[in-house]
Amino acid sequence: MTRLPALPRRPRAANARVRAGAAGLAAVLLLSLAACKGDDSGPLTPAGAALVASAPAVAATKVPPPPVIQSASTDTPAAGDLASVESQLDTTLTKASACSTDAECRTVAVGAKACGGPTGYRAYSGKTVSPDSVEALAQHERELAAAQARASHQVSPCFMLADPGARCVQNKCVTGRAAP
């Protein structure tokens, strides 16, 4: 078995120079700190004198607290809290569930997941209520639900729900397609 040649060693003189340089730097730093320690370091510049003179006046100044920011709230259900809008949407969709054919039934997306998309779909009949008014109310409910999810840092599964469609079963609109 062959031996590899030994690696050359660093000369000790280089290490001694590094130690001497570090010691010299430490000595200079300590001397400079000792020079700054004295309270009477000479006359102040005009800017320094003005700063020292204004210190008591600045310390005595009372700073008012920051203004309180209040959220704007209205009492109308359409612009109110999430619970009242959900209640109004539920009442509207419950009253608009009567149907006679599948063609009358529609779906609307409700709720809002934290990562986007609706939490579900509800069925209603376009015969008894305007689809535009239902969609506007549901859109407002989705916006409020999304804002609440953001404010409370909710998490949700990030899969998109497909619109299940709607059909008329026993004169009532329900979600889901008819079996083939």
Side-chain angles (χ1 to χ4, degrees):
M1 181 162 149
T2 28
R3 285 197 112 154
L4 294 174
L7 294 174
R9 294 184 181 245
R10 281 178 75 182
R12 299 232 180 237
N15 285 342
R17 278 183 279 184
V18 170
R19 282 190 208 126
L25 180 63
V28 169
L29 182 62
L30 287 174
L31 289 174
S32 63
L33 288 175
C36 292
K37 188 176 177 184
D39 289 338
D40 190 21
S41 60
L44 290 174
T45 62
L51 183 61
V52 169
S54 67
V58 171
T61 304
K62 294 191 188 279
V63 178
V68 176
I69 300 174
Q70 296 177 355
S71 62
S73 64
T74 58
D75 295 333
T76 60
D81 65 343
L82 180 59
S84 65
V85 174
E86 283 176 339
S87 174
Q88 184 180 6
L89 181 63
D90 186 54
T91 302
T92 302
L93 294 177
T94 302
K95 288 180 182 176
S97 64
C99 62
S100 54
T101 66
D102 286 349
E104 296 171 357
C105 296
R106 301 169 181 255
T107 56
V108 64
V110 294
K113 292 183 179 185
C115 63
T119 56
Y121 288 87
R122 299 272 310 264
Y124 70 99
S125 172
K127 178 177 80 172
T128 57
V129 69
S130 163
D132 292 335
S133 66
V134 170
E135 185 57 44
L137 187 58
Q139 176 65 32
H140 185 62
E141 185 262 346
R142 288 191 302 268
E143 290 169 357
L144 289 174
Q148 182 180 18
R150 277 191 306 274
S152 63
H153 304 290
Q154 286 180 349
V155 294
S156 67
C158 293
F159 60 88
M160 297 303 290
L161 293 177
D163 186 342
R167 59 192 171 110
C168 187
V169 176
Q170 297 177 352
N171 295 330
K172 185 176 179 181
C173 289
V174 295
T175 57
R177 305 212 189 283

